[in-house]
Amino acid sequence: MSSGKKLDFQQDLHSYYCDMHIHIGRTDSGQAVKISASNNLTFENIAAEASERKGIRMIGIIDCHSPSVQDDITRCLDSGVMEEIEGGGIAYRDTVILLGSEIEIREPGLGAAHVLAYFPDLGTMREFTDWMSRYMKNVQLSSQRIYVSPRELQQEIIGRGGLLIPAHVFTPHKGLYGSMADRMSDVFDLDGIAGIELGLSADSSMAGLISELDRYTFLTNSDAHSLGKIGREYNRIDLAGPSFEEFKMALQMKEGRRVSANYGLNPKLGKYHRTYCGGCESILDQEHLAAESGPPRCPYCGSTKLIQGVLDRILDIADREDPRIPPTRPPYHYQVPLEFIPGLGKSAMGKLLAAFGTEMAILHQATETELAEVAGEMLAASIVKARNGTLALSSGGGGTYGKVMK
C-alpha cells in the first residue's frame, strides 16, 4: 500500500521527460532477471542513472513482477532511499518510478508478442505476481511466457487497476503486429488498451497507416538493456507531477494531461527497420522483394532466410495508402542519442555533463554556442544535428542498428 507521501507539485501542468521501458539485469544479490541485460542494471542503479545523469523525471521499470526485484524495492523503501507516493509510484530524489512488467503472450496459430503492464504500487504488483506464478514457468525472469489467453491477461491487469500497453508493436522480434497478428483486435479488446509503444524501428507516420491505432496515445521508450541506453528514446509528458494516476490521465488525454512529444530514433537507425537476409546479410527493400514471385527470396544470394523489416511489415498490413495523423497526436521528433554521435567519447561527454548537468539539458537546453565552448565547434554542430534529426544515416536491419555516417 502507498505510504501516502505527497510530493509538493503545483496543479499547474509541467512537462517532464519520461522513459517507460527499462529492464533490470540483476538484483542486488546477483539474481538474474533479464538475461540479455547488463549486470549493473539494478533497481537502484537505474533510478540513480535516470535522475542524476539522464535528467529523466519519470521512468517505467518493467521487471518489477520478479520477487527478487520486489525484495530490492522493499529494501530501498525501508532504508528511506525511496518512498511510495500519493497517486502511485516510487520517488527517488526528483524522479518517479512506475512499477511495470513485460510479459510474453501467444495465441494458438499465432506468433508470440510482448506486452507491458503497469501498476500503481508494490502491493498490487505483488498480487499480480502471485496470480502470474500459477501460469508462468519462471516468474523470477523478465519477459516470460504466460499460459493464459491474451484477453484473460488483459482482464487481470485492468481488474487490478493496471495499464496494458503492447510493447514495440511492429518489431519482428515479439511485436504484436510484427510477429503475432495483422490486427490488434484479433488478440485484445481494443477498449482495454491504454496506449501503444512504437518501438525503435517505427514512428508515428508509419503507424498512421493502420486505422485501428488512431484512438491511442503513442509512446517512444528506450527498452534499455544497459544504463547507457536509458533515454535513447523517450517522451515529453505534460502532468501536474509524475505519478501513476497522472500517467494514466495523460494516456487518456484527460484534463490537459497528454504526451506532448515523442523523441525517437529515425527509424533507419532501428535494428529491424528493413528486411534482412540471413544468408548474405544484405539489407533489402520492398522493391527487391516485390520483384520476386513465389516465396520471398534474397535477390543477391537466393536465400529464403529473410527477417521482414518493420517498414515492409507495415506496408503489408496497412489499411490506408496515406498515413493519418489525428490532431491529438504529438509531434514525433527524430533525435539521435548522444552515444551515437561520432567523436563524442567519454572525455568530451564528461565535460558536457559537468557543464550542463544532465543529458536532457545537453539535448534540449544548451545552445550551440554554449556546447562549442565546452566540446568544440565540430562536436557542438553534431549535437545540434542530432537534436534536430539531420545527421546522415544508414539503415539498420536483421538485429543490427543503422549508423550515423561520418
Side-chain angles (χ1 to χ4, degrees), residues 54-202:
K54 300 293 182 177
I56 296 174
R57 299 308 174 215
M58 186 165 69
I59 57 174
I61 299 181
I62 51 81
D63 295 318
C64 295
H65 64 277
S66 171
S68 57
V69 171
Q70 292 168 5
D71 291 342
D72 284 356
I73 297 170
T74 298
R75 282 193 291 273
C76 289
L77 295 172
D78 289 346
S79 70
V81 172
M82 300 183 188
E83 292 186 76
E84 289 198 294
I85 62 169
E86 184 176 307
I90 292 175
Y92 172 87
R93 298 192 177 184
D94 54 1
T95 292
V96 169
I97 304 157
L98 299 193
L99 306 182
S101 174
E102 185 171 45
I103 307 152
E104 183 172 307
I105 58 171
R106 184 185 285 272
E107 281 272 56
L110 302 177
H114 287 174
V115 297
L116 305 174
Y118 301 91
F119 295 100
D121 54 60
L122 183 57
T124 306
M125 181 61 79
R126 287 188 188 277
E127 293 173 2
F128 184 64
T129 296
D130 289 342
W131 174 78
M132 281 206 304
S133 67
R134 303 199 296 270
Y135 306 101
M136 188 175 284
K137 291 181 178 178
N138 191 347
V139 78
Q140 290 279 353
L141 296 179
S142 170
S143 312
Q144 296 297 289
R145 174 79 56 80
I146 189 165
Y147 292 89
V148 300
S149 72
R151 282 183 169 82
E152 183 178 349
L153 174 64
Q154 184 178 37
Q155 291 169 0
E156 290 290 336
I157 293 168
I158 294 171
R160 289 177 168 81
L163 303 171
L164 173 63
I165 297 176
H168 42 73
V169 291
F170 297 113
T171 62
H173 180 65
K174 308 296 174 66
L176 192 147
Y177 292 112
S179 65
M180 189 176 194
D182 290 354
R183 291 289 173 264
M184 190 163 59
S185 56
D186 295 338
V187 180
F188 287 118
D189 176 357
L190 294 182
D191 291 335
I193 299 296
I196 297 293
E197 183 185 73
L198 294 175
L200 301 181
S201 296

Side-chain angles (χ1 to χ4, degrees), residues 7 113 122-123 210 213 234 256 270 332 348 375:
L7 295 187
L122 183 57
I210 299 174
L213 295 179
Y234 55 96
Y332 190 106

Side-chain angles (χ1 to χ4, degrees), residues 253-372:
M253 294 173 274
K254 286 187 175 180
E255 298 181 25
R257 280 76 166 172
R258 65 190 185 112
V259 175
S260 55
N262 298 125
Y263 293 90
L265 299 172
N266 186 308
K268 288 183 178 180
L269 283 172
K271 292 196 295 184
Y272 302 103
H273 181 56
R274 298 314 307 258
T275 297
Y276 174 84
C277 174
C280 67
E281 301 183 350
S282 297
I283 302 292
L284 311 176
D285 58 29
Q286 193 78 353
E287 288 71 27
H288 285 132
L289 300 173
E292 296 292 320
S293 58
R297 291 180 177 273
C298 174
Y300 302 115
C301 73
S303 173
T304 58
K305 297 178 180 178
L306 305 182
I307 301 173
Q308 189 176 35
V310 166
L311 176 59
D312 304 308
R313 173 62 174 163
I314 290 174
L315 292 174
D316 273 356
I317 64 173
D319 59 356
R320 51 169 67 123
E321 292 185 3
D322 297 309
R324 179 178 182 270
I325 308 296
T328 55
R329 183 134 299 147
Y332 190 106
H333 299 287
Y334 292 153
Q335 186 168 276
V336 176
L338 292 172
E339 67 169 340
F340 278 58
I341 298 175
L344 183 53
K346 289 184 178 180
S347 176
M349 190 66 198
K351 292 177 182 177
L352 288 166
L353 288 171
F356 303 109
T358 66
E359 291 187 14
M360 292 297 107
I362 295 167
L363 283 167
H364 292 284
Q365 297 170 13
T367 67
E368 184 169 358
T369 299
E370 290 170 336
L371 293 168

Side-chain angles (χ1 to χ4, degrees), residues 22-42:
I22 302 170
H23 281 284
I24 288 179
R26 298 289 187 277
T27 64
D28 289 342
S29 64
Q31 171 77 44
V33 180
K34 183 72 172 178
I35 302 297
S36 59
S38 298
N39 290 348
N40 62 356
L41 270 174
T42 65

